[in-house]
Amino acid sequence: MKNLVVFRERWARWTVGEAFLKTFGVVCQKLVGSTTTLFAHTLWATMLVGVIQILLGAGSLSFQKKSFGDSTRNIAGAVLFGLLAWNSTVLGFVTFWYEGEFGARVFVITLSVVPGALIDHFCFSNRLNFRQWSGVLVAILAGFLVLGSPALRKGIWIWFAFANMMTVAVNQGVTQAIKDIDPMRKNFYGGIVAVALGLVLLGVKFESKTFFTPEFTKLTAVSILTGLNVVFMWTLNVWAYKDGAYISLKKIVLNSGYLSMSMVIGVAFFGDAFAWGKIGGMGLFVLSLALMDNELWKGKKKEV
């Protein structure tokens, strides 16, 4: 691992931090998804996440005496990112409502590296060569093994999971397009979207008799914690692209940490079975990163 040039890059360090936060966020979604089956509760949870983003974003900008304004491109991008992230959060909750298996759902999300690489290719001219595409395929196999070869059993949940995967891929492209935005400004405008959608839809779905359940306090506490997590995750995401990341390699670095941690959490807390194949999958992630790392191969050519 120490010979991989990618881990000497600053963006990779931000991405490893994002992997920790992303894993924590999925655990929070699992807790909330297991707590309630009401769509109104999902709206409440996502709205609270948005409130935290607005408060921390506005507080940070005011403390630093920075303007809330930005270019039309950046503000529109932040709003679009917020809309897609809100959609992704809702899809994540709904997936667990329909009894989506933890490992299988995580594996489907990590497939976003493929549409992400295509977005890189067509929108940002970050074209992968044959060796790097091989690295992408090895990363998919690694994720499959790390998560215990999850069976993608039939059920409506899988459609929500694949829709979630696509929103994740598109949002990485959005972040790369507006990578010069202040992360707290992005949180501020993205949070406004979540709150606005939550207020409108909650007004339609609200029923006091079913809304204030015994689990409501737990739902609120976990949602506030998720909001704090989202603020820092969005910040690290912007920093990674600002420091030179491109979608496909960043996703593999993210997934290698995210899936490995998900494996440990799944075994320890969600009853997933342990298998040596999962350890083999972690080894394949190292191979995948090596295949993706152009600087490493340049060095080998020089040695020859």
Side-chain angles (χ1 to χ4, degrees):
M1 289 286 285
K2 67 180 181 180
N3 293 324
L4 291 176
V5 179
V6 62
F7 286 106
R8 302 174 194 170
E9 300 289 338
R10 191 174 179 182
W11 68 261
R13 299 169 193 166
W14 300 135
T15 304
V16 170
E18 186 183 351
F20 277 100
L21 296 176
K22 187 175 180 65
T23 306
F24 178 73
V26 169
V27 172
C28 286
Q29 284 189 354
K30 177 66 175 177
L31 291 173
V32 175
S34 299
T35 298
T36 179
T37 57
L38 293 176
F39 183 60
H41 280 173
T42 296
L43 296 175
W44 172 251
T46 55
M47 189 171 71
L48 285 179
V49 170
V51 169
I52 297 299
Q53 289 182 279
I54 292 172
L55 292 176
L56 290 185
S60 176
L61 291 172
S62 298
F63 180 77
Q64 298 178 74
K65 297 181 179 180
K66 291 184 176 180
S67 170
F68 284 77
D70 207 319
S71 66
T72 302
R73 175 193 178 94
N74 281 350
I75 292 177
V79 169
L80 177 59
F81 189 96
L83 178 61
L84 291 173
W86 179 87
N87 182 64
S88 180
T89 301
V90 171
L91 288 171
F93 288 143
V94 172
T95 300
F96 288 127
W97 287 351
Y98 285 99
E99 300 179 348
E101 196 269 330
F102 184 77
R105 184 258 180 185
V106 172
F107 173 68
V108 171
I109 300 302
T110 61
L111 295 178
S112 61
V113 65
V114 176
L118 295 175
I119 292 171
D120 252 341
H121 180 93
F122 291 107
C123 299
F124 302 104
S125 299
N126 292 322
R127 294 176 172 81
L128 303 185
N129 56 36
F130 178 79
R131 168 176 47 78
Q132 290 176 308
W133 273 111
S134 298
V136 170
L137 295 178
V138 171
I140 291 173
L141 176 60
F144 185 71
L145 292 175
V146 165
L147 290 167
S149 305
L152 301 181
R153 57 183 175 80
K154 293 181 180 179
I156 193 172
W157 72 270
I158 198 168
W159 298 108
F160 290 114
F162 271 99
N164 198 349
M165 179 269 288
M166 288 303 300
T167 60
V168 168
V170 172
N171 247 359
Q172 293 305 301
V174 173
T175 300
Q176 188 161 349
I178 60 168
K179 61 186 178 182
D180 60 330
I181 192 173
D182 186 293
M184 287 303 178
R185 196 173 288 125
K186 180 185 175 187
N187 271 288
F188 176 75
Y189 286 106
I192 289 176
V193 173
V195 172
L197 287 171
L199 287 173
V200 171
L201 295 178
L202 192 59
V204 175
K205 289 287 183 179
F206 183 79
E207 293 181 13
S208 59
K209 292 181 180 180
T210 57
F211 188 77
F212 296 106
T213 64
E215 297 82 11
F216 180 75
T217 301
K218 177 183 176 182
L219 171 71
T220 300
V222 172
S223 300
I224 292 173
L225 190 60
T226 300
L228 294 171
N229 185 68
V230 166
V231 168
F232 291 110
M233 192 162 62
W234 282 28
T235 298
L236 292 179
N237 188 244
V238 171
W239 286 351
Y241 285 111
K242 190 172 292 187
D243 282 335
Y246 60 93
I247 298 173
S248 52
L249 181 54
K250 178 184 179 295
K251 291 297 294 182
I252 291 178
V253 172
L254 178 68
N255 291 346
S256 63
Y258 170 43
L259 290 186
S260 297
M261 286 182 280
S262 293
M263 178 197 73
V264 174
I265 290 172
V267 171
F269 301 106
F270 296 111
D272 291 355
F274 174 80
W276 287 107
K278 296 181 179 182
I279 303 300
M282 293 174 70
L284 286 179
F285 268 127
V286 177
L287 174 60
S288 171
L289 289 167
L291 289 170
M292 291 291 295
D293 196 336
N294 277 329
E295 294 301 318
L296 176 66
W297 289 85
K298 286 179 183 178
K300 288 187 177 297
K301 288 180 179 179
K302 290 179 181 179
E303 289 177 7
V304 174

